[in-house]
Amino acid sequence: MSLRGGLCVALSALGLVACAPEVVRRPTQLTSVAEQAKDTIEIGETVPVSVGPGYRRVIRRGSLWTRIGRSVEGEVFKPVDGVFTVEGAQIHEAYLVLAGDRLVGFYLPVERAFAPVGDGKEIRLSIRRRPP
Amino acid sequence: MTIRTMLVTAALLLPLSGCATGAKYTEVASTLPPLASSQGRIYFYRPSAFGAAVQPAINLNGQKVGTAKPHGFYFVDRAPGNYEVTAATETEKKLTFTLEPSQERFVRLRIQMGVMVGRIVPELVDKADAERELGKLSFIPDPLK
């Protein structure tokens, strides 16, 4: 382990996470859907997800998400009456990006970027679709 | 342990020094000015007194809007758009989020302790969770004073 790596581990163990790397992301373009086409999904089972280097979040059972658009990576769903963030060196508001019922990553609305799921493994979600 | 370390540690452990006092959220919530339909409202609050000596400035898009006062909360109204919250501490963790017209956003200011000093981590919180924590906090009507 390098000196820098060792220092990061030591500081992390002490509660300092200043060494946490940025959330991996790349620019993407969101194409919005018409208001009347914004269908909603409900999550059927709580799912823990890796959202950044060393950080986890939970997508809660019963939470509602509205489809607001599409990017090249998938359909983009924004939380209804809730918030969702991903975290690395910084914390970013994030929406879900789904390909069918698979969670492939997150859309960061401020950065206009796509961040793949933390460990690179897509996650199948239990979802119920509600029409617009 | 150096004298500096001991002083910093002692300061961080003073639990109630410099906490916000005054009317609680539950007392003032109904009297807060209504939000203009063209604006959004961002609440900032710090529920814990741990590390009370660490009270950095809180910046919204680089502009100071208040400090991280323990047991206190305040809000600002802003135009819709993209926002970035940072705390002026030795190491910085920023939060980015969007603000829509008539939307309320809640930013919890959480202390994270390090070896020598603490830092404030701003977290975006949903309204239900925020209102549970806000109930016992004191309103800071002029956070820039």
Side-chain angles (χ1 to χ4, degrees), chain A residues 84-86 90-94 108-111, chain B residues 61 82-85 93-98 105 122 124:
Chain A
F84 191 81
T85 57
V86 296
Q90 316 300 344
I91 303 174
H92 313 266
E93 183 181 14
L108 314 184
V110 173
E111 293 77 11
Chain B
N61 285 2
N82 295 335
Y83 286 92
E84 177 183 297
V85 176
K93 190 152 197 162
K94 72 180 178 186
L95 165 69
T96 59
F97 61 90
T98 59
R105 292 296 213 173
L124 192 62

mmCIF file with all atom_site columns, all heavy atoms in Angstrom, chain A residues 84-86 90-94 108-111, chain B residues 61 82-85 93-98 105 122 124:
data_model
loop_
_atom_site.group_PDB
_atom_site.id
_atom_site.type_symbol
_atom_site.label_atom_id
_atom_site.label_alt_id
_atom_site.label_comp_id
_atom_site.label_asym_id
_atom_site.label_entity_id
_atom_site.label_seq_id
_atom_site.pdbx_PDB_ins_code
_atom_site.Cartn_x
_atom_site.Cartn_y
_atom_site.Cartn_z
_atom_site.occupancy
_atom_site.B_iso_or_equiv
_atom_site.pdbx_formal_charge
_atom_site.auth_seq_id
_atom_site.auth_comp_id
_atom_site.auth_asym_id
_atom_site.auth_atom_id
_atom_site.pdbx_PDB_model_num
ATOM 1   N N   . PHE A 1 84  ? -33.229 11.934 -2.761  1.00 0.00 ? 84  PHE A N   1
ATOM 2   C CA  . PHE A 1 84  ? -32.264 10.852 -2.898  1.00 0.00 ? 84  PHE A CA  1
ATOM 3   C C   . PHE A 1 84  ? -30.938 11.487 -3.294  1.00 0.00 ? 84  PHE A C   1
ATOM 4   O O   . PHE A 1 84  ? -30.907 12.411 -4.118  1.00 0.00 ? 84  PHE A O   1
ATOM 5   C CB  . PHE A 1 84  ? -32.712 9.849  -3.971  1.00 0.00 ? 84  PHE A CB  1
ATOM 6   C CG  . PHE A 1 84  ? -31.900 8.583  -3.973  1.00 0.00 ? 84  PHE A CG  1
ATOM 7   C CD1 . PHE A 1 84  ? -32.168 7.571  -3.064  1.00 0.00 ? 84  PHE A CD1 1
ATOM 8   C CD2 . PHE A 1 84  ? -30.858 8.411  -4.872  1.00 0.00 ? 84  PHE A CD2 1
ATOM 9   C CE1 . PHE A 1 84  ? -31.419 6.406  -3.051  1.00 0.00 ? 84  PHE A CE1 1
ATOM 10  C CE2 . PHE A 1 84  ? -30.105 7.245  -4.866  1.00 0.00 ? 84  PHE A CE2 1
ATOM 11  C CZ  . PHE A 1 84  ? -30.389 6.240  -3.956  1.00 0.00 ? 84  PHE A CZ  1
ATOM 12  N N   . THR A 1 85  ? -29.857 11.023 -2.682  1.00 0.00 ? 85  THR A N   1
ATOM 13  C CA  . THR A 1 85  ? -28.543 11.582 -2.998  1.00 0.00 ? 85  THR A CA  1
ATOM 14  C C   . THR A 1 85  ? -27.529 10.461 -3.197  1.00 0.00 ? 85  THR A C   1
ATOM 15  O O   . THR A 1 85  ? -27.716 9.353  -2.686  1.00 0.00 ? 85  THR A O   1
ATOM 16  C CB  . THR A 1 85  ? -28.031 12.510 -1.866  1.00 0.00 ? 85  THR A CB  1
ATOM 17  O OG1 . THR A 1 85  ? -27.982 11.774 -0.641  1.00 0.00 ? 85  THR A OG1 1
ATOM 18  C CG2 . THR A 1 85  ? -28.901 13.736 -1.710  1.00 0.00 ? 85  THR A CG2 1
ATOM 19  N N   . VAL A 1 86  ? -26.481 10.762 -3.935  1.00 0.00 ? 86  VAL A N   1
ATOM 20  C CA  . VAL A 1 86  ? -25.326 9.873  -3.995  1.00 0.00 ? 86  VAL A CA  1
ATOM 21  C C   . VAL A 1 86  ? -24.145 10.621 -3.384  1.00 0.00 ? 86  VAL A C   1
ATOM 22  O O   . VAL A 1 86  ? -24.138 11.856 -3.339  1.00 0.00 ? 86  VAL A O   1
ATOM 23  C CB  . VAL A 1 86  ? -25.004 9.417  -5.444  1.00 0.00 ? 86  VAL A CB  1
ATOM 24  C CG1 . VAL A 1 86  ? -26.157 8.598  -5.996  1.00 0.00 ? 86  VAL A CG1 1
ATOM 25  C CG2 . VAL A 1 86  ? -24.691 10.590 -6.346  1.00 0.00 ? 86  VAL A CG2 1
ATOM 26  N N   . GLN A 1 90  ? -18.194 14.508 -2.534  1.00 0.00 ? 90  GLN A N   1
ATOM 27  C CA  . GLN A 1 90  ? -19.279 15.471 -2.388  1.00 0.00 ? 90  GLN A CA  1
ATOM 28  C C   . GLN A 1 90  ? -20.602 14.705 -2.355  1.00 0.00 ? 90  GLN A C   1
ATOM 29  O O   . GLN A 1 90  ? -20.640 13.501 -2.617  1.00 0.00 ? 90  GLN A O   1
ATOM 30  C CB  . GLN A 1 90  ? -19.271 16.479 -3.552  1.00 0.00 ? 90  GLN A CB  1
ATOM 31  C CG  . GLN A 1 90  ? -17.909 17.019 -3.943  1.00 0.00 ? 90  GLN A CG  1
ATOM 32  C CD  . GLN A 1 90  ? -17.187 17.763 -2.818  1.00 0.00 ? 90  GLN A CD  1
ATOM 33  O OE1 . GLN A 1 90  ? -17.805 18.144 -1.814  1.00 0.00 ? 90  GLN A OE1 1
ATOM 34  N NE2 . GLN A 1 90  ? -15.892 17.948 -2.953  1.00 0.00 ? 90  GLN A NE2 1
ATOM 35  N N   . ILE A 1 91  ? -21.675 15.438 -2.061  1.00 0.00 ? 91  ILE A N   1
ATOM 36  C CA  . ILE A 1 91  ? -23.004 14.831 -2.037  1.00 0.00 ? 91  ILE A CA  1
ATOM 37  C C   . ILE A 1 91  ? -23.833 15.472 -3.154  1.00 0.00 ? 91  ILE A C   1
ATOM 38  O O   . ILE A 1 91  ? -23.871 16.698 -3.278  1.00 0.00 ? 91  ILE A O   1
ATOM 39  C CB  . ILE A 1 91  ? -23.696 15.044 -0.685  1.00 0.00 ? 91  ILE A CB  1
ATOM 40  C CG1 . ILE A 1 91  ? -22.827 14.467 0.444   1.00 0.00 ? 91  ILE A CG1 1
ATOM 41  C CG2 . ILE A 1 91  ? -25.075 14.399 -0.667  1.00 0.00 ? 91  ILE A CG2 1
ATOM 42  C CD1 . ILE A 1 91  ? -23.366 14.757 1.847   1.00 0.00 ? 91  ILE A CD1 1
ATOM 43  N N   . HIS A 1 92  ? -24.477 14.641 -3.952  1.00 0.00 ? 92  HIS A N   1
ATOM 44  C CA  . HIS A 1 92  ? -25.223 15.140 -5.109  1.00 0.00 ? 92  HIS A CA  1
ATOM 45  C C   . HIS A 1 92  ? -26.658 14.635 -5.052  1.00 0.00 ? 92  HIS A C   1
ATOM 46  O O   . HIS A 1 92  ? -26.885 13.429 -4.841  1.00 0.00 ? 92  HIS A O   1
ATOM 47  C CB  . HIS A 1 92  ? -24.603 14.623 -6.412  1.00 0.00 ? 92  HIS A CB  1
ATOM 48  C CG  . HIS A 1 92  ? -23.113 14.766 -6.480  1.00 0.00 ? 92  HIS A CG  1
ATOM 49  N ND1 . HIS A 1 92  ? -22.496 15.862 -7.060  1.00 0.00 ? 92  HIS A ND1 1
ATOM 50  C CD2 . HIS A 1 92  ? -22.111 13.961 -6.044  1.00 0.00 ? 92  HIS A CD2 1
ATOM 51  C CE1 . HIS A 1 92  ? -21.174 15.699 -6.979  1.00 0.00 ? 92  HIS A CE1 1
ATOM 52  N NE2 . HIS A 1 92  ? -20.923 14.562 -6.367  1.00 0.00 ? 92  HIS A NE2 1
ATOM 53  N N   . GLU A 1 93  ? -27.620 15.514 -5.295  1.00 0.00 ? 93  GLU A N   1
ATOM 54  C CA  . GLU A 1 93  ? -28.984 15.042 -5.508  1.00 0.00 ? 93  GLU A CA  1
ATOM 55  C C   . GLU A 1 93  ? -28.974 14.118 -6.722  1.00 0.00 ? 93  GLU A C   1
ATOM 56  O O   . GLU A 1 93  ? -28.241 14.355 -7.691  1.00 0.00 ? 93  GLU A O   1
ATOM 57  C CB  . GLU A 1 93  ? -29.918 16.225 -5.757  1.00 0.00 ? 93  GLU A CB  1
ATOM 58  C CG  . GLU A 1 93  ? -31.361 15.790 -5.903  1.00 0.00 ? 93  GLU A CG  1
ATOM 59  C CD  . GLU A 1 93  ? -32.299 16.950 -6.181  1.00 0.00 ? 93  GLU A CD  1
ATOM 60  O OE1 . GLU A 1 93  ? -31.844 18.058 -6.526  1.00 0.00 ? 93  GLU A OE1 1
ATOM 61  O OE2 . GLU A 1 93  ? -33.523 16.732 -6.057  1.00 0.00 ? 93  GLU A OE2 1
ATOM 62  N N   . ALA A 1 94  ? -29.802 13.064 -6.664  1.00 0.00 ? 94  ALA A N   1
ATOM 63  C CA  . ALA A 1 94  ? -29.762 12.071 -7.742  1.00 0.00 ? 94  ALA A CA  1
ATOM 64  C C   . ALA A 1 94  ? -31.142 11.485 -7.994  1.00 0.00 ? 94  ALA A C   1
ATOM 65  O O   . ALA A 1 94  ? -31.985 11.430 -7.093  1.00 0.00 ? 94  ALA A O   1
ATOM 66  C CB  . ALA A 1 94  ? -28.778 10.960 -7.379  1.00 0.00 ? 94  ALA A CB  1
ATOM 67  N N   . LEU A 1 108 ? -27.674 12.833 -12.159 1.00 0.00 ? 108 LEU A N   1
ATOM 68  C CA  . LEU A 1 108 ? -27.385 13.949 -11.259 1.00 0.00 ? 108 LEU A CA  1
ATOM 69  C C   . LEU A 1 108 ? -27.874 15.228 -11.937 1.00 0.00 ? 108 LEU A C   1
ATOM 70  O O   . LEU A 1 108 ? -27.256 15.694 -12.909 1.00 0.00 ? 108 LEU A O   1
ATOM 71  C CB  . LEU A 1 108 ? -25.880 14.046 -10.969 1.00 0.00 ? 108 LEU A CB  1
ATOM 72  C CG  . LEU A 1 108 ? -25.167 12.728 -10.620 1.00 0.00 ? 108 LEU A CG  1
ATOM 73  C CD1 . LEU A 1 108 ? -23.700 13.011 -10.256 1.00 0.00 ? 108 LEU A CD1 1
ATOM 74  C CD2 . LEU A 1 108 ? -25.863 12.003 -9.489  1.00 0.00 ? 108 LEU A CD2 1
ATOM 75  N N   . PRO A 1 109 ? -28.992 15.799 -11.473 1.00 0.00 ? 109 PRO A N   1
ATOM 76  C CA  . PRO A 1 109 ? -29.606 16.907 -12.212 1.00 0.00 ? 109 PRO A CA  1
ATOM 77  C C   . PRO A 1 109 ? -28.775 18.184 -12.239 1.00 0.00 ? 109 PRO A C   1
ATOM 78  O O   . PRO A 1 109 ? -28.849 18.942 -13.213 1.00 0.00 ? 109 PRO A O   1
ATOM 79  C CB  . PRO A 1 109 ? -30.938 17.120 -11.486 1.00 0.00 ? 109 PRO A CB  1
ATOM 80  C CG  . PRO A 1 109 ? -30.726 16.559 -10.116 1.00 0.00 ? 109 PRO A CG  1
ATOM 81  C CD  . PRO A 1 109 ? -29.773 15.419 -10.290 1.00 0.00 ? 109 PRO A CD  1
ATOM 82  N N   . VAL A 1 110 ? -28.036 18.453 -11.184 1.00 0.00 ? 110 VAL A N   1
ATOM 83  C CA  . VAL A 1 110 ? -27.225 19.678 -11.181 1.00 0.00 ? 110 VAL A CA  1
ATOM 84  C C   . VAL A 1 110 ? -26.034 19.534 -12.126 1.00 0.00 ? 110 VAL A C   1
ATOM 85  O O   . VAL A 1 110 ? -25.736 20.425 -12.933 1.00 0.00 ? 110 VAL A O   1
ATOM 86  C CB  . VAL A 1 110 ? -26.740 20.006 -9.752  1.00 0.00 ? 110 VAL A CB  1
ATOM 87  C CG1 . VAL A 1 110 ? -25.749 21.175 -9.771  1.00 0.00 ? 110 VAL A CG1 1
ATOM 88  C CG2 . VAL A 1 110 ? -27.936 20.332 -8.859  1.00 0.00 ? 110 VAL A CG2 1
ATOM 89  N N   . GLU A 1 111 ? -25.392 18.378 -12.057 1.00 0.00 ? 111 GLU A N   1
ATOM 90  C CA  . GLU A 1 111 ? -24.194 18.153 -12.879 1.00 0.00 ? 111 GLU A CA  1
ATOM 91  C C   . GLU A 1 111 ? -24.549 17.703 -14.294 1.00 0.00 ? 111 GLU A C   1
ATOM 92  O O   . GLU A 1 111 ? -23.676 17.670 -15.161 1.00 0.00 ? 111 GLU A O   1
ATOM 93  C CB  . GLU A 1 111 ? -23.311 17.094 -12.218 1.00 0.00 ? 111 GLU A CB  1
ATOM 94  C CG  . GLU A 1 111 ? -22.681 17.525 -10.899 1.00 0.00 ? 111 GLU A CG  1
ATOM 95  C CD  . GLU A 1 111 ? -23.640 17.506 -9.717  1.00 0.00 ? 111 GLU A CD  1
ATOM 96  O OE1 . GLU A 1 111 ? -24.766 16.965 -9.862  1.00 0.00 ? 111 GLU A OE1 1
ATOM 97  O OE2 . GLU A 1 111 ? -23.291 18.046 -8.646  1.00 0.00 ? 111 GLU A OE2 1
ATOM 98  N N   . ASN B 2 61  ? -24.213 28.713 -2.930  1.00 0.00 ? 61  ASN B N   1
ATOM 99  C CA  . ASN B 2 61  ? -23.605 29.192 -4.182  1.00 0.00 ? 61  ASN B CA  1
ATOM 100 C C   . ASN B 2 61  ? -22.541 30.251 -3.907  1.00 0.00 ? 61  ASN B C   1
ATOM 101 O O   . ASN B 2 61  ? -22.473 31.289 -4.573  1.00 0.00 ? 61  ASN B O   1
ATOM 102 C CB  . ASN B 2 61  ? -24.673 29.725 -5.141  1.00 0.00 ? 61  ASN B CB  1
ATOM 103 C CG  . ASN B 2 61  ? -25.453 28.597 -5.795  1.00 0.00 ? 61  ASN B CG  1
ATOM 104 O OD1 . ASN B 2 61  ? -25.216 27.421 -5.506  1.00 0.00 ? 61  ASN B OD1 1
ATOM 105 N ND2 . ASN B 2 61  ? -26.376 28.928 -6.672  1.00 0.00 ? 61  ASN B ND2 1
ATOM 106 N N   . ASN B 2 82  ? -30.122 25.710 -9.750  1.00 0.00 ? 82  ASN B N   1
ATOM 107 C CA  . ASN B 2 82  ? -29.189 24.753 -9.148  1.00 0.00 ? 82  ASN B CA  1
ATOM 108 C C   . ASN B 2 82  ? -28.450 25.413 -7.983  1.00 0.00 ? 82  ASN B C   1
ATOM 109 O O   . ASN B 2 82  ? -28.008 26.563 -8.103  1.00 0.00 ? 82  ASN B O   1
ATOM 110 C CB  . ASN B 2 82  ? -28.167 24.277 -10.182 1.00 0.00 ? 82  ASN B CB  1
ATOM 111 C CG  . ASN B 2 82  ? -28.816 23.483 -11.301 1.00 0.00 ? 82  ASN B CG  1
ATOM 112 O OD1 . ASN B 2 82  ? -29.878 22.892 -11.122 1.00 0.00 ? 82  ASN B OD1 1
ATOM 113 N ND2 . ASN B 2 82  ? -28.187 23.477 -12.459 1.00 0.00 ? 82  ASN B ND2 1
ATOM 114 N N   . TYR B 2 83  ? -28.300 24.665 -6.898  1.00 0.00 ? 83  TYR B N   1
ATOM 115 C CA  . TYR B 2 83  ? -27.650 25.236 -5.718  1.00 0.00 ? 83  TYR B CA  1
ATOM 116 C C   . TYR B 2 83  ? -26.573 24.312 -5.160  1.00 0.00 ? 83  TYR B C   1
ATOM 117 O O   . TYR B 2 83  ? -26.649 23.089 -5.313  1.00 0.00 ? 83  TYR B O   1
ATOM 118 C CB  . TYR B 2 83  ? -28.702 25.558 -4.642  1.00 0.00 ? 83  TYR B CB  1
ATOM 119 C CG  . TYR B 2 83  ? -29.493 26.784 -5.039  1.00 0.00 ? 83  TYR B CG  1
ATOM 120 C CD1 . TYR B 2 83  ? -30.682 26.660 -5.747  1.00 0.00 ? 83  TYR B CD1 1
ATOM 121 C CD2 . TYR B 2 83  ? -29.005 28.056 -4.783  1.00 0.00 ? 83  TYR B CD2 1
ATOM 122 C CE1 . TYR B 2 83  ? -31.380 27.778 -6.171  1.00 0.00 ? 83  TYR B CE1 1
ATOM 123 C CE2 . TYR B 2 83  ? -29.695 29.185 -5.199  1.00 0.00 ? 83  TYR B CE2 1
ATOM 124 C CZ  . TYR B 2 83  ? -30.878 29.040 -5.891  1.00 0.00 ? 83  TYR B CZ  1
ATOM 125 O OH  . TYR B 2 83  ? -31.537 30.152 -6.318  1.00 0.00 ? 83  TYR B OH  1
ATOM 126 N N   . GLU B 2 84  ? -25.600 24.966 -4.521  1.00 0.00 ? 84  GLU B N   1
ATOM 127 C CA  . GLU B 2 84  ? -24.475 24.255 -3.907  1.00 0.00 ? 84  GLU B CA  1
ATOM 128 C C   . GLU B 2 84  ? -24.286 24.794 -2.496  1.00 0.00 ? 84  GLU B C   1
ATOM 129 O O   . GLU B 2 84  ? -24.163 26.001 -2.309  1.00 0.00 ? 84  GLU B O   1
ATOM 130 C CB  . GLU B 2 84  ? -23.210 24.494 -4.745  1.00 0.00 ? 84  GLU B CB  1
ATOM 131 C CG  . GLU B 2 84  ? -21.964 23.882 -4.172  1.00 0.00 ? 84  GLU B CG  1
ATOM 132 C CD  . GLU B 2 84  ? -20.730 24.225 -5.025  1.00 0.00 ? 84  GLU B CD  1
ATOM 133 O OE1 . GLU B 2 84  ? -20.695 23.812 -6.184  1.00 0.00 ? 84  GLU B OE1 1
ATOM 134 O OE2 . GLU B 2 84  ? -19.844 24.929 -4.512  1.00 0.00 ? 84  GLU B OE2 1
ATOM 135 N N   . VAL B 2 85  ? -24.288 23.897 -1.524  1.00 0.00 ? 85  VAL B N   1
ATOM 136 C CA  . VAL B 2 85  ? -24.088 24.290 -0.126  1.00 0.00 ? 85  VAL B CA  1
ATOM 137 C C   . VAL B 2 85  ? -22.710 23.833 0.323   1.00 0.00 ? 85  VAL B C   1
ATOM 138 O O   . VAL B 2 85  ? -22.339 22.672 0.113   1.00 0.00 ? 85  VAL B O   1
ATOM 139 C CB  . VAL B 2 85  ? -25.158 23.658 0.793   1.00 0.00 ? 85  VAL B CB  1
ATOM 140 C CG1 . VAL B 2 85  ? -24.888 24.002 2.254   1.00 0.00 ? 85  VAL B CG1 1
ATOM 141 C CG2 . VAL B 2 85  ? -26.551 24.126 0.392   1.00 0.00 ? 85  VAL B CG2 1
ATOM 142 N N   . LYS B 2 93  ? -17.072 19.512 2.319   1.00 0.00 ? 93  LYS B N   1
ATOM 143 C CA  . LYS B 2 93  ? -17.928 18.566 1.597   1.00 0.00 ? 93  LYS B CA  1
ATOM 144 C C   . LYS B 2 93  ? -19.115 19.363 1.106   1.00 0.00 ? 93  LYS B C   1
ATOM 145 O O   . LYS B 2 93  ? -19.822 19.975 1.904   1.00 0.00 ? 93  LYS B O   1
ATOM 146 C CB  . LYS B 2 93  ? -18.384 17.439 2.522   1.00 0.00 ? 93  LYS B CB  1
ATOM 147 C CG  . LYS B 2 93  ? -19.077 16.317 1.773   1.00 0.00 ? 93  LYS B CG  1
ATOM 148 C CD  . LYS B 2 93  ? -18.888 15.002 2.507   1.00 0.00 ? 93  LYS B CD  1
ATOM 149 C CE  . LYS B 2 93  ? -19.185 13.832 1.594   1.00 0.00 ? 93  LYS B CE  1
ATOM 150 N NZ  . LYS B 2 93  ? -18.636 12.584 2.073   1.00 0.00 ? 93  LYS B NZ  1
ATOM 151 N N   . LYS B 2 94  ? -19.334 19.374 -0.186  1.00 0.00 ? 94  LYS B N   1
ATOM 152 C CA  . LYS B 2 94  ? -20.421 20.203 -0.695  1.00 0.00 ? 94  LYS B CA  1
ATOM 153 C C   . LYS B 2 94  ? -21.608 19.343 -1.079  1.00 0.00 ? 94  LYS B C   1
ATOM 154 O O   . LYS B 2 94  ? -21.478 18.151 -1.386  1.00 0.00 ? 94  LYS B O   1
ATOM 155 C CB  . LYS B 2 94  ? -19.960 21.055 -1.877  1.00 0.00 ? 94  LYS B CB  1
ATOM 156 C CG  . LYS B 2 94  ? -19.722 20.300 -3.155  1.00 0.00 ? 94  LYS B CG  1
ATOM 157 C CD  . LYS B 2 94  ? -19.264 21.239 -4.260  1.00 0.00 ? 94  LYS B CD  1
ATOM 158 C CE  . LYS B 2 94  ? -18.980 20.458 -5.536  1.00 0.00 ? 94  LYS B CE  1
ATOM 159 N NZ  . LYS B 2 94  ? -18.400 21.308 -6.591  1.00 0.00 ? 94  LYS B NZ  1
ATOM 160 N N   . LEU B 2 95  ? -22.765 19.976 -1.055  1.00 0.00 ? 95  LEU B N   1
ATOM 161 C CA  . LEU B 2 95  ? -24.025 19.342 -1.427  1.00 0.00 ? 95  LEU B CA  1
ATOM 162 C C   . LEU B 2 95  ? -24.594 20.102 -2.614  1.00 0.00 ? 95  LEU B C   1
ATOM 163 O O   . LEU B 2 95  ? -24.656 21.335 -2.586  1.00 0.00 ? 95  LEU B O   1
ATOM 164 C CB  . LEU B 2 95  ? -24.997 19.410 -0.245  1.00 0.00 ? 95  LEU B CB  1
ATOM 165 C CG  . LEU B 2 95  ? -26.469 19.121 -0.540  1.00 0.00 ? 95  LEU B CG  1
ATOM 166 C CD1 . LEU B 2 95  ? -26.677 17.650 -0.906  1.00 0.00 ? 95  LEU B CD1 1
ATOM 167 C CD2 . LEU B 2 95  ? -27.334 19.492 0.661   1.00 0.00 ? 95  LEU B CD2 1
ATOM 168 N N   . THR B 2 96  ? -25.001 19.378 -3.659  1.00 0.00 ? 96  THR B N   1
ATOM 169 C CA  . THR B 2 96  ? -25.649 20.033 -4.798  1.00 0.00 ? 96  THR B CA  1
ATOM 170 C C   . THR B 2 96  ? -27.076 19.508 -4.928  1.00 0.00 ? 96  THR B C   1
ATOM 171 O O   . THR B 2 96  ? -27.331 18.325 -4.727  1.00 0.00 ? 96  THR B O   1
ATOM 172 C CB  . THR B 2 96  ? -24.892 19.784 -6.112  1.00 0.00 ? 96  THR B CB  1
ATOM 173 O OG1 . THR B 2 96  ? -24.818 18.374 -6.382  1.00 0.00 ? 96  THR B OG1 1
ATOM 174 C CG2 . THR B 2 96  ? -23.482 20.343 -6.061  1.00 0.00 ? 96  THR B CG2 1
ATOM 175 N N   . PHE B 2 97  ? -27.990 20.415 -5.260  1.00 0.00 ? 97  PHE B N   1
ATOM 176 C CA  . PHE B 2 97  ? -29.394 20.028 -5.450  1.00 0.00 ? 97  PHE B CA  1
ATOM 177 C C   . PHE B 2 97  ? -30.094 21.093 -6.286  1.00 0.00 ? 97  PHE B C   1
ATOM 178 O O   . PHE B 2 97  ? -29.572 22.187 -6.486  1.00 0.00 ? 97  PHE B O   1
ATOM 179 C CB  . PHE B 2 97  ? -30.101 19.842 -4.102  1.00 0.00 ? 97  PHE B CB  1
ATOM 180 C CG  . PHE B 2 97  ? -30.138 21.074 -3.239  1.00 0.00 ? 97  PHE B CG  1
ATOM 181 C CD1 . PHE B 2 97  ? -31.187 21.975 -3.314  1.00 0.00 ? 97  PHE B CD1 1
ATOM 182 C CD2 . PHE B 2 97  ? -29.102 21.336 -2.355  1.00 0.00 ? 97  PHE B CD2 1
ATOM 183 C CE1 . PHE B 2 97  ? -31.210 23.113 -2.516  1.00 0.00 ? 97  PHE B CE1 1
ATOM 184 C CE2 . PHE B 2 97  ? -29.112 22.466 -1.548  1.00 0.00 ? 97  PHE B CE2 1
ATOM 185 C CZ  . PHE B 2 97  ? -30.174 23.352 -1.639  1.00 0.00 ? 97  PHE B CZ  1
ATOM 186 N N   . THR B 2 98  ? -31.281 20.736 -6.752  1.00 0.00 ? 98  THR B N   1
ATOM 187 C CA  . THR B 2 98  ? -32.086 21.670 -7.536  1.00 0.00 ? 98  THR B CA  1
ATOM 188 C C   . THR B 2 98  ? -33.168 22.269 -6.642  1.00 0.00 ? 98  THR B C   1
ATOM 189 O O   . THR B 2 98  ? -33.546 21.694 -5.619  1.00 0.00 ? 98  THR B O   1
ATOM 190 C CB  . THR B 2 98  ? -32.763 20.943 -8.715  1.00 0.00 ? 98  THR B CB  1
ATOM 191 O OG1 . THR B 2 98  ? -33.593 19.894 -8.188  1.00 0.00 ? 98  THR B OG1 1
ATOM 192 C CG2 . THR B 2 98  ? -31.728 20.337 -9.652  1.00 0.00 ? 98  THR B CG2 1
ATOM 193 N N   . ARG B 2 105 ? -36.864 22.916 0.506   1.00 0.00 ? 105 ARG B N   1
ATOM 194 C CA  . ARG B 2 105 ? -35.737 21.992 0.641   1.00 0.00 ? 105 ARG B CA  1
ATOM 195 C C   . ARG B 2 105 ? -35.213 22.085 2.059   1.00 0.00 ? 105 ARG B C   1
ATOM 196 O O   . ARG B 2 105 ? -35.247 23.168 2.678   1.00 0.00 ? 105 ARG B O   1
ATOM 197 C CB  . ARG B 2 105 ? -34.621 22.353 -0.345  1.00 0.00 ? 105 ARG B CB  1
ATOM 198 C CG  . ARG B 2 105 ? -35.009 22.106 -1.799  1.00 0.00 ? 105 ARG B CG  1
ATOM 199 C CD  . ARG B 2 105 ? -35.237 20.640 -2.037  1.00 0.00 ? 105 ARG B CD  1
ATOM 200 N NE  . ARG B 2 105 ? -34.845 20.253 -3.380  1.00 0.00 ? 105 ARG B NE  1
ATOM 201 C CZ  . ARG B 2 105 ? -34.821 19.002 -3.809  1.00 0.00 ? 105 ARG B CZ  1
ATOM 202 N NH1 . ARG B 2 105 ? -35.159 18.022 -2.993  1.00 0.00 ? 105 ARG B NH1 1
ATOM 203 N NH2 . ARG B 2 105 ? -34.479 18.722 -5.034  1.00 0.00 ? 105 ARG B NH2 1
ATOM 204 N N   . PRO B 2 122 ? -23.194 18.995 4.920   1.00 0.00 ? 122 PRO B N   1
ATOM 205 C CA  . PRO B 2 122 ? -24.590 19.334 4.602   1.00 0.00 ? 122 PRO B CA  1
ATOM 206 C C   . PRO B 2 122 ? -25.277 18.167 3.906   1.00 0.00 ? 122 PRO B C   1
ATOM 207 O O   . PRO B 2 122 ? -24.740 17.598 2.955   1.00 0.00 ? 122 PRO B O   1
ATOM 208 C CB  . PRO B 2 122 ? -24.446 20.538 3.658   1.00 0.00 ? 122 PRO B CB  1
ATOM 209 C CG  . PRO B 2 122 ? -23.089 20.425 3.063   1.00 0.00 ? 122 PRO B CG  1
ATOM 210 C CD  . PRO B 2 122 ? -22.244 19.561 3.953   1.00 0.00 ? 122 PRO B CD  1
ATOM 211 N N   . LEU B 2 124 ? -29.028 16.636 2.286   1.00 0.00 ? 124 LEU B N   1
ATOM 212 C CA  . LEU B 2 124 ? -30.385 16.919 1.827   1.00 0.00 ? 124 LEU B CA  1
ATOM 213 C C   . LEU B 2 124 ? -31.331 15.919 2.485   1.00 0.00 ? 124 LEU B C   1
ATOM 214 O O   . LEU B 2 124 ? -31.103 14.706 2.413   1.00 0.00 ? 124 LEU B O   1
ATOM 215 C CB  . LEU B 2 124 ? -30.435 16.801 0.305   1.00 0.00 ? 124 LEU B CB  1
ATOM 216 C CG  . LEU B 2 124 ? -31.676 17.325 -0.405  1.00 0.00 ? 124 LEU B CG  1
ATOM 217 C CD1 . LEU B 2 124 ? -31.840 18.833 -0.183  1.00 0.00 ? 124 LEU B CD1 1
ATOM 218 C CD2 . LEU B 2 124 ? -31.593 17.040 -1.909  1.00 0.00 ? 124 LEU B CD2 1
#
